Amino acid sequence: MKESSKRQATASEEALWRIFTVPEAPDSTLSIIEQNLSQNLAGFLRKSIVAVEKPLWQIERDFQTHEIPQMPNFVSDYAESLMQKLVAHSVHTAAPSFIGHMTSALPYFVLSLSKMMVGLNQNLVKIETSKAFTPMERQVLGMVHHLVYGENDGFYKKWMHSANHSLGAFCSGGTVANITALWIARNRLLRADGEFKGIAREGLFKAMKHYGYDGLAIVVSERGHYSLGKAADVLGIGRDSLIAVKTDANNKIDALALAEKMAELTAANIRVLAIVGVAGTTETGNVDPLHQLADIAQQYQCHFHVDAAWGGATLLSNKYRHILDGIERADSVTIDAHKQMYVPMGAGMVVFKHPSAAHAIEHHAEYILRKGSKDLGSQTLEGSRPGMAMLVHACLQVIGRDGYEILINRSLEKARYFATLISHNIDFELITEPELCLLTYRYVPAIVQKAMRQASPEQLQRFNELLNGLTKFIQKRQREEGKSFVSRTRLMPVQYNRQETIVFRVVLANPLTTEQILHDVLVEQDQLAQLDKDYYPKLLQLAKEITT
Amino acid sequence: MKESSKRQATASEEALWRIFTVPEAPDSTLSIIEQNLSQNLAGFLRKSIVAVEKPLWQIERDFQTHEIPQMPNFVSDYAESLMQKLVAHSVHTAAPSFIGHMTSALPYFVLSLSKMMVGLNQNLVKIETSKAFTPMERQVLGMVHHLVYGENDGFYKKWMHSANHSLGAFCSGGTVANITALWIARNRLLRADGEFKGIAREGLFKAMKHYGYDGLAIVVSERGHYSLGKAADVLGIGRDSLIAVKTDANNKIDALALAEKMAELTAANIRVLAIVGVAGTTETGNVDPLHQLADIAQQYQCHFHVDAAWGGATLLSNKYRHILDGIERADSVTIDAHKQMYVPMGAGMVVFKHPSAAHAIEHHAEYILRKGSKDLGSQTLEGSRPGMAMLVHACLQVIGRDGYEILINRSLEKARYFATLISHNIDFELITEPELCLLTYRYVPAIVQKAMRQASPEQLQRFNELLNGLTKFIQKRQREEGKSFVSRTRLMPVQYNRQETIVFRVVLANPLTTEQILHDVLVEQDQLAQLDKDYYPKLLQLAKEITT
């Protein structure tokens, strides 16, 4: 009976009309869920997300149906099932002990503002569907441009709202931002010239023949983000032409090696379309020597892009922004607001030194993006897109420079604190020091450390293999237990002769992460290590053999 | 005094801590705004957005500062200023009388769910930051795949959750979806072959030399979306190699002309990497003869992509899905959920006929997207991105096939109703009939219509020029008045010898748009025409000269 009345109720025109016109009742399931979330987000997430991880194949069972249901569902029924099937098995990315990725707790006000953004449902591709959102987004890009380049008042007065210029592009994320920057670099290099109408119109094949190059390349350190490989592929350069230059012991590009590589490529008639500096490598958080990169880019007249998707927020700290010195010489810079700027997922940006840089990728269409209009869509890779810039605008205004100064400084100093903690713990080994708020380390029992100092190269290699297995075991087990989370990656540290070394990777951007939590993470990892029945006993055995 | 206590309060660590840990008080400005929005969205938008449009340069004044403010702001102060400066001058895209673009009213439940999505802040690039969101997104793509291709149970059981396959890619919008599809097409065509390691690794220049083609092309009707030009540029094909094939009187690709063009290109050793069918042109809403396109693509062994960003939702209607017959033969199909599926902005999708299609663009990285993992990021153009798929999932479940059947059918039938209304009004001229829920028309006073039937070709041209001016005037004035909104575009209709013709463009996707509103739009446009002091009198004058 209930079932049939449901069908009647929800598949009717009247029921449909209701979901578009009648708000959720305050005592409905969905409203109550929303209230719980609004009143205590951390508590909501803690209570709603189950602690112990369920295997993925079990979760997948709840998402097996491939047919769109015939019958409509009541919102309350759906909301209940969503809580059990989706929310319960999502990841508590905002937890202060979730220190393995670049997500953080968010300020409360972004929740209400996100709802407003969705309610307004503006489309930033075109001023007709965004109006004030267009100047607002231009202002956000102007502010970030100023943060990077610090041009004078006249500059921003002239360019920030100029119809045919843009100080940057708002993107769904850092990958699209990086692709946009390199797309511009490619098109500016292979521009119209005499009879040749430019790569944008005639394509890469003709461009190469016109300019007579044997190849193109994008040069970056071996720690460059994987999105650059994607960009090289999409843009028709090819992944093999993303040239990785070796890094020094601190994971910064070796400028000498870069200079040699540039000379070598040039001699082979391979044109470097961009040098990419990394300001905050994803794996170790180090920043390339940007002034040196800028010098080399200048020497070879090539585009200088800085991928500061993650580290760019450091510019908000007067105390530490010097770490990124030289970034103001870049032709383009990627910064993600959804990383250390405390904005929800989906807020990437790229800013351009020259307001006319995006002319290289400009496009128009009649019903939309008319020439001379202020439609943002004419100079972006994406088309229709939401008003996410509003959330960046809000964070910049509400937190302000003074607020970010505290947030960024605290992050960096917390990472230094954790590094000290690790160094002073005889059973752990710090692998990379934090330059920003990211560091890597691993668990190596004291007795093993002692043995490793006496070990032969073969034995050292065996130790590292066993340690890699143990690190994987601990990281996986720690994630499954659900109390805390660190990520892991593979490095080739100089101190281990560039042997593959699996490490824990920690990002300390969440302002709610306390020193106590960091202590607890080490205690937990120590305990988890003892549970391993494979690598751990072998490690101790080998250590004993050597030391006795 | 107040000012200084503010500074103290908000720039302190304690104040910062509060924005991350203490929810907005129920009586705070932001909470009250949110309550108003939640309790009556339409009313909130109507009241908050000013009716009469303010000139853009005036709006820009409020977004002039280029420096990030030093001092933090209270959330309430910010919220108040946001309402006045941003919300008041945004666009009421959900208004039932806003029938010019593809935005619509949204169901209420997406508001709460959006807030939940932001609160959860999952990152879909990787299972470690999304867990259940990954299978949920795969299910959404599976459901849309099934909607398009209707494969059997075994197919979805095998592929939907397979780590190394994907039935589609979730994107920020249709542009990224189209680029993804054509990227795949390009890479599959110029794949590894003998010594050649494939375009993804070696780039376009070497690929062309290896395969010995003189050029590449993407072929689409002259009504193809502007994002295809962007794709041709980004992918290194070049905009000039996006070949536009003429359309027939109904704005559908002329299949004969396409066949000729294919033969011509092939004879010139230009390899067509994809034929793109348009299922719902953005300007007139027409659908290409997809079966004929599939036949030709098959004959030339080239990728067949269908851009159904807008029209794809019609597949949800059993009554009208036949309009898209042949779409199931496409290798890839773009569908935007933020258009006629009633999901907020930022939900594009592309589905692939072959689960291994995305292998052509696969990429891996160590700390993320490890081989064999189920991380979605290894087969998408974008990297980090939010859990928007949840909103599509919710709409599919809550509205269901039965609900969409009603919504889609009502849209199409409303468009037919409006077309009849226009045809029966002696002062209006229907330019394109609605095939889906989109139509174009213009205001042509009866006396002018009469005169045009007797006019010489030169006079007809003059009439059209004047009418173009008048249409622009009415459309702009109507937007500024803020009561209703239609968009405009430029067509080259067969009935006017392909002379440039400016028309009103109407999209009837909003379920709340009533027949009365459509009546009112015509009345308003009639009245606005009389206000024009330029084209309108000249039109009448010219008409009089001819008819008397």
Side-chain angles (χ1 to χ4, degrees), chain B residues 19-48:
Chain B
I19 64 169
F20 283 93
T21 55
V22 183
E24 301 303 315
D27 59 348
S28 72
T29 311
L30 185 56
S31 294
I32 291 166
I33 293 169
E34 190 190 336
Q35 284 157 31
N36 291 340
L37 180 145
S38 304
Q39 283 159 17
N40 181 357
L41 178 61
F44 170 84
L45 295 172
R46 209 164 39 234
K47 264 185 254 169
S48 311

Side-chain angles (χ1 to χ4, degrees), chain A residues 59-194:
Chain A
I59 300 176
E60 284 169 355
R61 275 195 206 151
D62 286 331
F63 301 96
Q64 281 301 355
T65 327
H66 61 271
E67 280 176 341
I68 298 167
Q70 190 68 33
M71 301 297 163
N73 283 287
F74 278 118
V75 171
S76 290
D77 292 350
Y78 178 72
E80 236 167 62
S81 112
L82 196 72
M83 290 302 290
Q84 284 164 25
K85 293 175 183 171
L86 187 70
V87 179
H89 304 289
S90 57
V91 181
H92 190 351
T93 59
S97 58
F98 185 92
I99 53 176
H101 284 299
M102 290 168 174
T103 46
S104 158
L106 298 175
Y108 259 99
F109 64 86
V110 302
L111 292 176
S112 304
L113 291 178
S114 300
K115 194 173 178 182
M116 199 194 288
M117 184 187 90
V118 169
L120 288 166
N121 207 30
Q122 306 292 287
N123 181 351
L124 273 281
V125 72
K126 186 163 173 57
I127 210 140
E128 272 182 3
T129 49
S130 64
K131 220 147 80 186
F133 269 71
T134 290
M136 180 276 295
E137 184 174 293
R138 282 181 176 271
Q139 182 183 30
V140 167
L141 292 167
M143 284 179 167
V144 174
H145 188 282
H146 181 259
L147 180 70
V148 172
Y149 297 109
E151 299 285 356
N152 62 28
D153 289 14
F155 178 91
Y156 296 100
K157 206 162 263 174
K158 187 162 179 189
W159 302 117
M160 202 159 73
H161 294 290
S162 166
N164 295 313
H165 299 83
S166 36
L167 298 183
F170 203 93
C171 310
S172 64
T175 297
V176 173
N178 279 339
I179 294 175
T180 302
L182 295 170
W183 180 21
I184 288 174
R186 190 199 68 178
N187 284 14
R188 291 184 90 186
L189 177 68
L190 304 173
R191 61 181 167 275
D193 172 46

Side-chain angles (χ1 to χ4, degrees), chain A residues 23-35 75-76 79, chain B residues 112:
Chain A
E24 301 305 315
D27 59 347
S28 71
T29 311
L30 185 56
S31 294
I32 290 166
I33 293 170
E34 191 190 338
Q35 284 157 32
V75 171
S76 290
Chain B
S112 305

Side-chain angles (χ1 to χ4, degrees), chain A residues 131-372:
Chain A
K131 220 147 80 186
F133 269 71
T134 290
M136 180 276 295
E137 184 174 293
R138 282 181 176 271
Q139 182 183 30
V140 167
L141 292 167
M143 284 179 167
V144 174
H145 188 282
H146 181 259
L147 180 70
V148 172
Y149 297 109
E151 299 285 356
N152 62 28
D153 289 14
F155 178 91
Y156 296 100
K157 206 162 263 174
K158 187 162 179 189
W159 302 117
M160 202 159 73
H161 294 290
S162 166
N164 295 313
H165 299 83
S166 36
L167 298 183
F170 203 93
C171 310
S172 64
T175 297
V176 173
N178 279 339
I179 294 175
T180 302
L182 295 170
W183 180 21
I184 288 174
R186 190 199 68 178
N187 284 14
R188 291 184 90 186
L189 177 68
L190 304 173
R191 61 181 167 275
D193 172 46
E195 295 280 286
F196 177 64
K197 286 173 284 177
I199 183 173
R201 290 191 53 191
E202 297 206 36
L204 185 78
F205 188 44
K206 287 188 185 158
M208 295 297 282
K209 289 194 285 189
H210 174 80
Y211 280 102
Y213 300 127
D214 287 325
L216 295 175
I218 299 168
V219 181
V220 65
S221 95
E222 56 189 344
R223 290 265 153 274
H225 190 251
Y226 70 91
S227 61
L228 300 170
K230 257 192 232 189
D233 176 356
V234 173
L235 295 170
I237 320 292
R239 285 165 194 277
D240 290 356
S241 298
L242 176 70
I243 308 294
V245 174
K246 71 171 183 189
T247 47
D248 62 18
N250 295 319
N251 293 288
K252 292 163 183 284
I253 195 166
D254 180 331
L256 213 66
L258 169 64
E260 279 168 18
K261 183 57 77 182
M262 292 297 292
E264 188 188 304
L265 291 167
T266 307
N269 193 29
I270 292 170
R271 183 65 162 100
V272 176
L273 72 90
I275 293 177
V276 180
V278 187
T281 69
T282 319
E283 287 163 295
T284 62
N286 295 104
V287 180
D288 281 341
L290 301 179
H291 271 301
Q292 293 180 50
L293 296 185
D295 289 342
I296 296 172
Q298 203 171 351
Q299 184 190 338
Y300 285 91
Q301 293 281 305
C302 84
H303 188 105
F304 177 34
H305 175 65
V306 174
D307 180 1
W310 176 66
T314 312
L315 295 170
L316 289 160
S317 155
N318 288 324
K319 186 169 176 187
Y320 291 109
R321 66 170 287 149
H322 67 86
I323 298 174
L324 276 68
D325 271 357
I327 197 170
E328 69 284 357
R329 295 174 63 191
D331 294 296
S332 55
V333 175
T334 290
I335 296 184
D336 273 353
H338 58 227
K339 297 198 166 104
Q340 282 191 86
M341 286 168 75
Y342 306 100
V343 170
M345 202 52 63
M349 286 176 279
V350 55
V351 287
F352 314 128
K353 191 183 190 75
H354 304 289
S356 55
H359 287 178
I361 58 164
E362 211 173 30
H363 41 266
H364 295 280
E366 180 52 27
Y367 65 101
I368 204 172
L369 319 178
R370 295 181 192 104
K371 279 198 182 174

Side-chain angles (χ1 to χ4, degrees), chain A residues 13 91 115 172 382 410, chain B residues 13 38 91 122 172 382 410:
Chain A
E13 297 228 4
V91 181
K115 194 173 178 182
S172 64
E382 293 165 278
R410 284 286 301 251
Chain B
E13 297 229 4
S38 304
V91 181
Q122 306 292 287
S172 64
E382 293 166 278
R410 283 288 300 251

Side-chain angles (χ1 to χ4, degrees), chain B residues 360-374:
Chain B
I361 59 164
E362 210 173 31
H363 41 267
H364 295 281
E366 180 51 28
Y367 65 101
I368 204 172
L369 320 178
R370 297 183 190 101
K371 278 197 183 179
S373 79
K374 293 196 172 181

